[in-house]
Amino acid sequence: MSSQVSELHAAKPPAKKNPTQEQISLFMRTKLDSSKEVLEGLVVEDFELIQKGTQKMIEMSNATEWQLVEGPVFAQQSAAFRNAAKDVLNYAKKENLDGASLSYLHLTMTCIACHKQIKKSAVVMNEALVPEQVLVKLKSEKK
């Protein structure tokens, strides 16, 4: 089975990303790395690590790169993300593992919901684009 998967990947060369896609991809990868840091902190009960990763995600959510899409749906999703991240941070400061864990779960769900919305936007645009390409397209339309 794994050889079939390898053959599939080998048959299709990876699509080349433009500089904006690369920037968005790097930004989202950094956000994901911070999320992994929070998860690691939860697993080993390292409240400083939880706070560090969560604080980084909050800072990133306020960065210009985060503001790729305008509109009430994405504004609401960004607010939900920030609120969930602040909940994780507050529970970590109180060294409340259960509260931080449940808040992290909610935080993760906000990420999933936003990515689903971006994919939905691709369908509405009637194009077969990956989420990063949709963000690039939406960002360029914003100008």
Side-chain angles (χ1 to χ4, degrees):
M1 178 76 167
S2 67
S3 65
Q4 291 173 337
V5 172
S6 297
E7 289 173 21
L8 272 174
H9 289 289
K12 192 188 272 188
K16 191 167 184 171
K17 295 179 181 178
N18 69 39
T20 305
Q21 285 174 309
E22 288 291 341
Q23 182 182 10
I24 292 168
S25 185
L26 179 61
F27 183 83
M28 295 307 284
R29 178 64 51 192
T30 302
K31 183 179 143 227
L32 182 59
D33 289 343
S34 296
S35 178
K36 289 176 185 177
E37 196 171 52
V38 175
L39 178 59
E40 180 182 347
L42 290 167
V43 171
V44 299
E45 296 186 37
D46 182 337
F47 294 100
E48 287 182 28
L49 188 58
I50 296 167
Q51 290 176 56
K52 179 183 167 196
T54 305
Q55 189 61 49
K56 176 82 173 172
M57 286 191 288
I58 292 169
E59 289 168 9
M60 291 180 75
S61 75
N62 290 314
T64 306
E65 293 89 348
W66 182 271
Q67 311 305 323
L68 296 171
V69 183
E70 290 180 353
V73 172
F74 293 103
Q76 181 182 7
Q77 288 173 332
S78 287
F81 175 85
R82 274 190 286 281
N83 289 336
K86 288 175 186 174
D87 287 344
V88 174
L89 184 61
N90 289 333
Y91 281 116
K93 286 179 180 178
K94 295 175 186 175
E95 297 190 4
N96 180 330
L97 186 64
D98 291 337
S101 298
L102 287 172
S103 296
Y104 177 76
L105 178 61
H106 181 244
L107 175 65
T108 303
M109 293 306 296
T110 66
C111 295
I112 293 167
C114 187
H115 283 253
K116 280 176 68 175
Q117 183 63 40
I118 289 169
K119 286 178 185 173
K120 221 186 267 184
S121 296
V123 171
V124 169
M125 285 190 253
N126 218 7
E127 296 179 29
L129 300 174
V130 296
E132 291 169 346
Q133 291 171 322
V134 174
L135 289 173
V136 169
K137 187 168 179 72
L138 291 170
K139 186 176 184 179
S140 66
E141 289 174 359
K142 196 172 144 180
K143 294 178 182 177

